[in-house]
Structures are given as structure tokens and as C-alpha cells.
Coordinates of all heavy atoms in Angstrom, one line a residue:
R1 N -17.0 7.9 31.9 CA -16.5 8.7 32.9 C -17.6 9.5 33.6 O -17.4 10.6 34.1 CB -15.4 9.6 32.4 CG -14.3 8.9 31.9 CD -13.2 9.8 31.5 NE -12.1 9.0 30.9 CZ -11.0 9.5 30.6 NH1 -10.7 10.7 30.8 NH2 -10.1 8.7 29.9
L2 N -18.8 8.9 33.6 CA -19.9 9.6 34.2 C -20.0 9.4 35.7 O -20.5 10.2 36.4 CB -21.2 9.2 33.5 CG -21.3 9.6 32.1 CD1 -22.7 9.0 31.5 CD2 -21.4 11.1 32.0
G3 N -19.5 8.3 36.2 CA -19.6 8.0 37.6 C -18.5 8.7 38.4 O -17.6 9.4 37.9
S4 N -18.6 8.6 39.7 CA -17.6 9.2 40.5 C -16.3 8.3 40.6 O -16.4 7.1 40.3 CB -18.1 9.4 42.0 OG -18.4 8.1 42.5
C5 N -15.2 8.9 40.8 CA -14.0 8.1 40.8 C -13.1 8.7 42.0 O -13.3 9.8 42.5 CB -13.3 8.1 39.5 SG -12.8 9.8 38.9
D6 N -12.1 8.0 42.3 CA -11.2 8.3 43.4 C -10.4 9.6 43.0 O -10.3 10.0 41.8 CB -10.3 7.2 43.8 CG -9.4 6.7 42.6 OD1 -9.5 7.3 41.6 OD2 -8.7 5.7 42.8
P7 N -9.7 10.2 43.9 CA -8.9 11.4 43.6 C -7.8 11.2 42.5 O -7.5 12.1 41.7 CB -8.2 11.8 45.0 CG -9.2 11.2 45.9 CD -9.7 10.0 45.3
L8 N -7.2 10.0 42.5 CA -6.2 9.7 41.5 C -6.8 9.7 40.1 O -6.2 10.2 39.2 CB -5.5 8.4 41.8 CG -4.3 8.0 40.9 CD1 -3.2 9.1 41.1 CD2 -3.8 6.6 41.3
C9 N -8.0 9.2 40.0 CA -8.7 9.1 38.7 C -9.0 10.6 38.3 O -8.9 10.9 37.1 CB -9.9 8.3 38.8 SG -10.9 8.3 37.4
A10 N -9.5 11.4 39.2 CA -9.8 12.8 38.9 C -8.6 13.6 38.4 O -8.7 14.4 37.5 CB -10.5 13.5 40.1
L11 N -7.5 13.3 39.1 CA -6.2 14.0 38.7 C -5.8 13.6 37.3 O -5.4 14.4 36.5 CB -5.1 13.7 39.7 CG -3.7 14.3 39.4 CD1 -3.8 15.8 39.4 CD2 -2.7 13.8 40.3
S12 N -6.0 12.3 37.0 CA -5.6 11.8 35.7 C -6.6 12.4 34.6 O -6.1 12.7 33.5 CB -5.7 10.3 35.7 OG -5.6 9.7 34.4
D13 N -7.8 12.5 35.0 CA -8.8 13.1 34.1 C -8.5 14.6 33.8 O -8.5 15.0 32.6 CB -10.2 13.0 34.6 CG -11.3 13.4 33.6 OD1 -11.2 13.0 32.4 OD2 -12.2 14.2 34.0
R14 N -8.0 15.3 34.8 CA -7.7 16.7 34.6 C -6.4 16.8 33.7 O -6.3 17.7 32.9 CB -7.5 17.4 36.0 CG -8.7 17.9 36.6 CD -8.4 18.7 37.8 NE -9.0 18.0 38.9 CZ -8.4 17.7 40.0 NH1 -7.2 18.1 40.3 NH2 -9.0 17.0 41.0
R15 N -5.5 16.0 34.0 CA -4.3 16.0 33.1 C -4.6 15.7 31.7 O -4.0 16.3 30.8 CB -3.3 14.9 33.6 CG -2.5 15.4 34.9 CD -1.5 14.4 35.3 NE -0.9 14.8 36.6 CZ -0.3 13.9 37.3 NH1 -0.2 12.6 37.0 NH2 0.3 14.4 38.5
E16 N -5.5 14.7 31.4 CA -5.8 14.3 30.1 C -6.5 15.5 29.4 O -6.2 15.8 28.3 CB -6.8 13.1 30.1 CG -7.2 12.7 28.8 CD -8.1 11.5 28.8 OE1 -8.0 10.7 29.7 OE2 -8.9 11.4 27.9
R17 N -7.4 16.2 30.1 CA -8.1 17.3 29.6 C -7.2 18.5 29.3 O -7.3 19.2 28.3 CB -9.2 17.8 30.5 CG -10.4 16.8 30.5 CD -11.5 17.3 31.6 NE -12.5 16.3 31.7 CZ -13.8 16.5 31.6 NH1 -14.2 17.8 31.4 NH2 -14.6 15.6 31.8
A18 N -6.2 18.7 30.1 CA -5.2 19.8 29.9 C -4.4 19.4 28.7 O -4.0 20.3 27.9 CB -4.3 19.9 31.2
F19 N -4.0 18.2 28.6 CA -3.2 17.7 27.4 C -4.0 17.9 26.1 O -3.4 18.4 25.1 CB -2.7 16.3 27.6 CG -1.7 15.9 26.5 CD1 -0.5 16.4 26.5 CD2 -2.1 14.9 25.6 CE1 0.4 16.0 25.5 CE2 -1.1 14.5 24.7 CZ 0.1 15.0 24.6
V20 N -5.2 17.6 26.1 CA -6.1 17.7 24.9 C -6.3 19.2 24.6 O -6.2 19.6 23.4 CB -7.5 17.0 25.1 CG1 -8.5 17.4 24.1 CG2 -7.3 15.5 25.1
L21 N -6.4 20.0 25.6 CA -6.5 21.4 25.4 C -5.2 22.0 24.8 O -5.3 22.8 23.9 CB -6.8 22.2 26.8 CG -7.0 23.7 26.7 CD1 -8.2 24.0 25.8 CD2 -7.1 24.3 28.1
A22 N -4.1 21.5 25.2 CA -2.8 22.0 24.7 C -2.7 21.5 23.2 O -2.2 22.3 22.4 CB -1.7 21.4 25.5
L23 N -3.1 20.3 22.9 CA -3.1 19.8 21.6 C -4.0 20.6 20.6 O -3.6 21.0 19.5 CB -3.5 18.3 21.5 CG -2.5 17.3 22.0 CD1 -3.1 15.9 22.1 CD2 -1.2 17.3 21.2
N24 N -5.2 21.0 21.1 CA -6.0 21.9 20.4 C -5.5 23.3 20.2 O -5.7 23.9 19.1 CB -7.4 21.9 21.0 CG -8.2 20.7 20.7 OD1 -8.4 20.4 19.5 ND2 -8.8 20.0 21.6
A25 N -4.7 23.7 21.2 CA -4.1 25.1 21.0 C -3.0 25.0 19.9 O -2.9 25.9 19.1 CB -3.5 25.5 22.3
V26 N -2.2 23.9 19.9 CA -1.2 23.7 18.8 C -1.9 23.7 17.5 O -1.4 24.3 16.5 CB -0.4 22.5 19.1 CG1 0.5 22.1 17.9 CG2 0.5 22.7 20.3
A27 N -3.0 22.9 17.4 CA -3.7 22.8 16.1 C -4.2 24.1 15.7 O -4.2 24.5 14.5 CB -4.8 21.7 16.2
F28 N -4.8 24.9 16.6 CA -5.4 26.2 16.3 C -4.3 27.1 15.8 O -4.5 27.8 14.7 CB -6.1 26.8 17.5 CG -6.6 28.2 17.3 CD1 -7.8 28.4 16.6 CD2 -5.9 29.3 17.8 CE1 -8.2 29.7 16.4 CE2 -6.3 30.6 17.6 CZ -7.5 30.7 16.9
L29 N -3.2 27.2 16.5 CA -2.1 28.0 16.0 C -1.5 27.6 14.7 O -1.2 28.4 13.8 CB -1.0 28.1 17.1 CG -1.3 28.8 18.3 CD1 -0.2 28.7 19.4 CD2 -1.6 30.3 18.1
G30 N -1.4 26.3 14.5 CA -0.8 25.7 13.3 C -1.7 26.0 12.1 O -1.3 26.5 11.0
Y31 N -3.0 25.7 12.2 CA -3.9 26.0 11.1 C -4.2 27.5 11.0 O -4.6 28.0 9.9 CB -5.3 25.3 11.3 CG -5.2 23.8 11.2 CD1 -5.7 22.9 12.1 CD2 -4.5 23.3 10.1 CE1 -5.6 21.6 11.9 CE2 -4.4 21.9 9.9 CZ -5.0 21.1 10.8 OH -4.9 19.7 10.7
G32 N -3.9 28.3 12.0 CA -4.0 29.8 11.9 C -3.0 30.4 11.0 O -3.2 31.6 10.6
F33 N -2.0 29.7 10.6 CA -1.0 30.3 9.6 C -1.6 30.4 8.2 O -1.2 31.4 7.5 CB 0.2 29.5 9.5 CG 1.2 29.7 10.6 CD1 1.6 28.7 11.5 CD2 1.8 30.9 10.8 CE1 2.5 28.9 12.6 CE2 2.7 31.2 11.8 CZ 3.1 30.2 12.7
F34 N -2.5 29.7 7.9 CA -3.1 29.8 6.5 C -3.8 31.1 6.3 O -3.4 31.8 5.3 CB -4.1 28.6 6.2 CG -4.7 28.9 4.9 CD1 -4.0 28.7 3.7 CD2 -6.1 29.2 4.8 CE1 -4.6 28.9 2.4 CE2 -6.7 29.5 3.6 CZ -6.0 29.3 2.4
P35 N -4.7 31.6 7.1 CA -5.3 32.9 6.8 C -4.3 34.0 6.9 O -4.4 35.0 6.2 CB -6.4 33.1 7.9 CG -6.5 31.8 8.7 CD -5.4 30.9 8.2
V36 N -3.3 33.8 7.8 CA -2.3 34.9 7.9 C -1.5 35.0 6.6 O -1.3 36.1 6.0 CB -1.3 34.6 9.1 CG1 -0.1 35.6 9.1 CG2 -2.1 34.8 10.4
T37 N -1.1 33.9 6.1 CA -0.3 33.9 4.8 C -1.2 34.2 3.6 O -0.7 34.7 2.6 CB 0.4 32.5 4.6 OG1 -0.6 31.5 4.6 CG2 1.4 32.3 5.7
F38 N -2.5 34.0 3.7 CA -3.4 34.3 2.6 C -3.7 35.8 2.5 O -3.7 36.3 1.4 CB -4.7 33.5 2.7 CG -5.6 33.7 1.6 CD1 -5.4 33.0 0.4 CD2 -6.7 34.5 1.7 CE1 -6.3 33.2 -0.7 CE2 -7.6 34.7 0.6 CZ -7.4 34.0 -0.5
F39 N -3.9 36.4 3.6 CA -4.3 37.8 3.6 C -3.1 38.8 3.8 O -3.3 40.0 3.5 CB -5.3 38.1 4.7 CG -6.6 37.5 4.5 CD1 -7.1 36.4 5.3 CD2 -7.4 37.9 3.4 CE1 -8.3 35.8 5.1 CE2 -8.6 37.3 3.2 CZ -9.1 36.3 4.0
C40 N -2.0 38.3 4.1 CA -0.8 39.3 4.3 C 0.3 38.9 3.4 O 0.6 37.7 3.1 CB -0.3 39.2 5.7 SG -1.4 39.7 7.0
A41 N 1.0 39.9 2.8 CA 2.1 39.7 1.9 C 3.3 39.2 2.7 O 3.5 39.7 3.9 CB 2.3 40.9 1.1
D42 N 4.3 38.5 2.1 CA 5.5 38.1 2.8 C 6.3 39.3 3.3 O 6.8 39.2 4.4 CB 6.3 37.3 1.9 CG 6.2 35.8 2.2 OD1 5.6 35.5 3.3 OD2 6.8 35.0 1.5
P43 N 6.5 40.4 2.5 CA 7.3 41.4 3.1 C 6.7 42.1 4.3 O 7.5 42.5 5.2 CB 7.4 42.5 1.9 CG 7.1 41.7 0.7 CD 6.2 40.6 1.1
S44 N 5.4 42.2 4.4 CA 4.8 42.8 5.6 C 5.0 41.9 6.8 O 5.1 42.4 7.9 CB 3.4 43.2 5.3 OG 2.6 42.0 5.1
L45 N 4.9 40.6 6.6 CA 5.1 39.7 7.7 C 6.5 39.7 8.2 O 6.8 39.5 9.3 CB 4.6 38.3 7.3 CG 3.1 38.1 7.1 CD1 2.8 36.8 6.5 CD2 2.4 38.3 8.4
K46 N 7.5 39.9 7.2 CA 8.9 39.9 7.6 C 9.2 41.1 8.5 O 10.1 41.0 9.3 CB 9.7 40.0 6.3 CG 11.1 39.6 6.5 CD 11.3 38.1 6.7 CE 12.8 37.8 6.4 NZ 13.0 36.4 6.9
Q47 N 8.4 42.1 8.4 CA 8.6 43.3 9.3 C 8.2 43.0 10.7 O 8.8 43.5 11.6 CB 7.9 44.5 8.7 CG 8.4 45.1 7.4 CD 7.5 46.2 6.9 OE1 6.4 46.4 7.4 NE2 8.0 46.9 5.9
W48 N 7.1 42.3 10.8 CA 6.5 42.0 12.2 C 7.3 40.8 12.8 O 7.5 40.8 14.0 CB 5.1 41.6 12.1 CG 4.2 42.8 11.8 CD1 3.8 43.2 10.5 CD2 3.7 43.7 12.7 NE1 3.1 44.4 10.7 CE2 3.0 44.7 12.0 CE3 3.8 43.8 14.1 CZ2 2.3 45.8 12.6 CZ3 3.1 44.8 14.7 CH2 2.4 45.8 14.0
V49 N 7.6 39.8 12.0 CA 8.3 38.6 12.6 C 9.6 38.4 11.8 O 9.7 37.9 10.7 CB 7.5 37.4 12.4 CG1 8.1 36.1 13.0 CG2 6.1 37.6 13.0
P50 N 10.8 38.9 12.4 CA 12.1 38.9 11.7 C 12.5 37.5 11.3 O 13.1 37.3 10.2 CB 13.0 39.4 12.7 CG 12.2 40.2 13.7 CD 10.9 39.5 13.7
A51 N 12.1 36.4 12.0 CA 12.4 35.1 11.6 C 11.4 34.4 10.8 O 11.3 33.2 10.8 CB 12.7 34.2 12.9
W52 N 10.6 35.2 10.0 CA 9.5 34.6 9.2 C 10.1 33.7 8.1 O 11.0 34.2 7.3 CB 8.7 35.7 8.6 CG 7.5 35.3 7.8 CD1 7.4 35.3 6.5 CD2 6.3 34.6 8.3 NE1 6.2 34.8 6.1 CE2 5.5 34.4 7.2 CE3 5.9 34.3 9.6 CZ2 4.3 33.8 7.3 CZ3 4.6 33.7 9.7 CH2 3.8 33.5 8.6
P53 N 9.7 32.5 8.0 CA 10.4 31.6 7.1 C 9.8 31.7 5.7 O 10.4 31.1 4.7 CB 10.0 30.2 7.6 CG 8.7 30.4 8.3 CD 8.8 31.7 8.9
G54 N 8.8 32.4 5.5 CA 8.1 32.5 4.2 C 6.7 31.8 4.2 O 6.5 31.0 5.1
A55 N 5.9 32.3 3.3 CA 4.4 31.8 3.4 C 4.4 30.3 3.1 O 3.6 29.6 3.8 CB 3.6 32.5 2.3
D56 N 5.1 29.8 2.2 CA 5.0 28.3 1.9 C 5.5 27.5 3.1 O 4.9 26.5 3.4 CB 5.9 28.0 0.6 CG 5.2 28.6 -0.6 OD1 4.1 28.8 -0.7 OD2 6.0 28.8 -1.6
A57 N 6.6 27.8 3.6 CA 7.2 27.1 4.8 C 6.2 27.2 6.0 O 6.0 26.2 6.7 CB 8.6 27.5 5.1
A58 N 5.7 28.4 6.2 CA 4.8 28.6 7.3 C 3.5 27.8 7.2 O 3.0 27.2 8.2 CB 4.4 30.0 7.5
Q59 N 3.0 27.7 6.0 CA 1.8 26.9 5.7 C 2.1 25.4 5.9 O 1.3 24.7 6.5 CB 1.2 27.1 4.3 CG 0.4 28.4 4.2 CD -0.2 28.5 2.9 OE1 0.2 27.8 1.9 NE2 -1.1 29.5 2.7
Y60 N 3.2 25.0 5.4 CA 3.6 23.6 5.5 C 3.7 23.1 6.9 O 3.1 22.2 7.4 CB 4.8 23.3 4.7 CG 5.3 21.9 4.9 CD1 4.8 20.9 4.1 CD2 6.3 21.6 5.8 CE1 5.2 19.5 4.3 CE2 6.8 20.2 6.0 CZ 6.2 19.3 5.2 OH 6.6 18.0 5.4
W61 N 4.5 23.9 7.7 CA 4.8 23.5 9.1 C 3.6 23.7 10.0 O 3.3 23.0 10.9 CB 6.0 24.3 9.6 CG 7.3 23.7 9.0 CD1 8.0 24.4 8.1 CD2 7.9 22.5 9.2 NE1 9.1 23.6 7.7 CE2 9.0 22.4 8.4 CE3 7.5 21.4 10.0 CZ2 9.9 21.3 8.3 CZ3 8.4 20.3 9.9 CH2 9.5 20.2 9.1
G62 N 2.8 24.8 9.6 CA 1.6 25.0 10.4 C 0.6 23.9 10.2 O -0.1 23.4 11.2
N63 N 0.4 23.4 9.0 CA -0.5 22.3 8.7 C 0.0 21.0 9.3 O -0.8 20.2 9.8 CB -0.7 22.1 7.2 CG -1.7 23.1 6.6 OD1 -2.5 23.6 7.2 ND2 -1.5 23.5 5.3
L64 N 1.3 20.8 9.3 CA 1.9 19.6 9.8 C 1.6 19.6 11.4 O 1.3 18.6 11.9 CB 3.4 19.5 9.6 CG 4.1 18.3 10.1 CD1 3.6 17.1 9.5 CD2 5.6 18.5 9.9
A65 N 1.8 20.8 12.0 CA 1.6 20.8 13.4 C 0.1 20.6 13.8 O -0.2 19.8 14.7 CB 2.0 22.2 14.0
G66 N -0.8 21.2 13.0 CA -2.2 20.9 13.3 C -2.6 19.5 13.0 O -3.4 18.9 13.8
D67 N -2.2 19.0 11.9 CA -2.5 17.5 11.6 C -1.9 16.6 12.7 O -2.6 15.6 13.1 CB -2.0 17.1 10.3 CG -2.7 17.8 9.1 OD1 -3.9 18.3 9.4 OD2 -2.3 17.8 8.0
A68 N -0.7 16.8 13.1 CA 0.0 16.0 14.1 C -0.8 16.1 15.4 O -1.0 15.0 16.1 CB 1.4 16.3 14.2
A69 N -1.1 17.3 15.8 CA -1.8 17.5 17.1 C -3.2 16.8 17.1 O -3.6 16.1 18.1 CB -2.0 19.0 17.4
W70 N -3.9 16.9 16.0 CA -5.3 16.3 16.0 C -5.1 14.7 15.8 O -6.1 14.0 16.3 CB -6.1 16.9 14.9 CG -6.8 18.2 15.4 CD1 -6.7 18.6 16.6 CD2 -7.5 19.0 14.6 NE1 -7.4 19.8 16.7 CE2 -7.9 20.1 15.4 CE3 -7.9 19.1 13.3 CZ2 -8.7 21.1 15.0 CZ3 -8.6 20.1 12.8 CH2 -9.0 21.2 13.7
T71 N -4.1 14.3 15.2 CA -3.9 12.8 15.1 C -3.5 12.2 16.5 O -4.1 11.2 16.9 CB -2.7 12.5 14.2 OG1 -3.0 13.0 12.9 CG2 -2.5 11.0 14.1
V72 N -2.7 12.9 17.2 CA -2.4 12.5 18.6 C -3.6 12.6 19.5 O -3.8 11.7 20.3 CB -1.2 13.3 19.2 CG1 -1.0 13.0 20.7 CG2 0.1 13.0 18.4
E73 N -4.4 13.6 19.3 CA -5.6 13.7 20.1 C -6.6 12.6 19.9 O -7.1 12.0 20.8 CB -6.3 15.1 19.9 CG -7.5 15.3 20.6 CD -8.3 16.5 20.2 OE1 -7.9 17.2 19.3 OE2 -9.4 16.8 20.9
A74 N -6.8 12.3 18.7 CA -7.7 11.2 18.3 C -7.2 9.9 18.9 O -8.0 9.1 19.5 CB -7.9 11.1 16.8
A75 N -5.9 9.6 18.8 CA -5.3 8.4 19.3 C -5.5 8.4 20.8 O -5.8 7.3 21.4 CB -3.9 8.3 18.9
L76 N -5.2 9.5 21.4 CA -5.3 9.6 22.9 C -6.8 9.3 23.4 O -7.0 8.5 24.3 CB -4.8 10.9 23.4 CG -5.0 11.2 24.9 CD1 -4.0 10.3 25.7 CD2 -4.8 12.6 25.2
L77 N -7.7 9.8 22.7 CA -9.1 9.7 23.1 C -9.6 8.3 22.8 O -10.6 7.9 23.5 CB -10.0 10.8 22.5 CG -9.7 12.2 23.0 CD1 -10.5 13.2 22.2 CD2 -9.8 12.4 24.4
M78 N -9.1 7.7 21.8 CA -9.6 6.3 21.5 C -8.9 5.3 22.4 O -9.4 4.2 22.6 CB -9.3 5.9 20.1 CG -10.2 6.6 19.1 SD -10.1 6.0 17.4 CE -8.4 6.2 17.0
W79 N -7.8 5.6 23.0 CA -7.1 4.7 23.9 C -7.7 4.6 25.2 O -8.2 4.1 25.9 CB -5.6 5.2 24.0 CG -4.8 4.3 24.9 CD1 -4.6 3.0 24.8 CD2 -4.0 4.8 26.0 NE1 -3.7 2.6 25.8 CE2 -3.4 3.7 26.5 CE3 -3.7 6.0 26.5 CZ2 -2.5 3.7 27.6 CZ3 -2.9 6.1 27.6 CH2 -2.3 5.0 28.1

């Protein structure tokens, strides 16, 4: 993608970059649950987030979101 391309190609490139950025944001937030659950106790998190599912569930779903986002990103960039 080093050469110039038509406006449709440029729009597609911008959409792809925005989608990759969104996937990386999901991965960052998902993997960010681990330090939160490691350094904070469950009762203190329950005060800040009333719908807190618990440390184990937050780590599981956070890791799943991060892994899924990075898997989709890799597949998208190889395609």
C-alpha cells in the first residue's frame, strides 16, 4: 500500500485502520482486567462497579475478548 490509490481505496484503507484500532482497543481493555483484578480486592471493585462479576469471571472474559480481538486482527491483516 505504498503507492497512490483512488479515493475508494483510500476510504477502504481508513476503514480498515479504524477497525484495527477498535480491535486493539477491545484487546487493551480486555487484557487490562488482569492488573485490576490482581491489585484490587473483589469487595473494593464491587463498590465502584455494582455489576462486577468477580475477579475470575472478569479475567476469563477479558482474556477471551483480547484473544478474540487479536485473532480477528491477524486474520484481517493477512487477508
Side-chain angles (χ1 to χ4, degrees):
R1 298 186 186 188
L2 294 176
S4 63
C5 59
D6 60 2
L8 186 61
C9 177
L11 178 64
S12 174
D13 189 46
R14 276 189 244 131
R15 284 183 184 158
E16 182 181 330
R17 288 177 189 230
F19 189 64
V20 168
L21 182 65
L23 287 173
N24 279 307
V26 168
F28 176 77
L29 291 173
Y31 289 133
F33 278 117
F34 174 74
V36 170
T37 57
F38 184 77
F39 290 114
C40 298
D42 256 353
S44 65
L45 289 171
K46 195 75 161 165
Q47 291 173 350
W48 288 93
V49 183
W52 184 251
D56 292 335
Q59 280 184 348
Y60 175 79
W61 290 107
N63 283 333
L64 181 65
D67 289 345
W70 277 353
T71 301
V72 170
E73 179 188 4
L76 175 71
L77 294 177
M78 286 192 302
W79 178 53

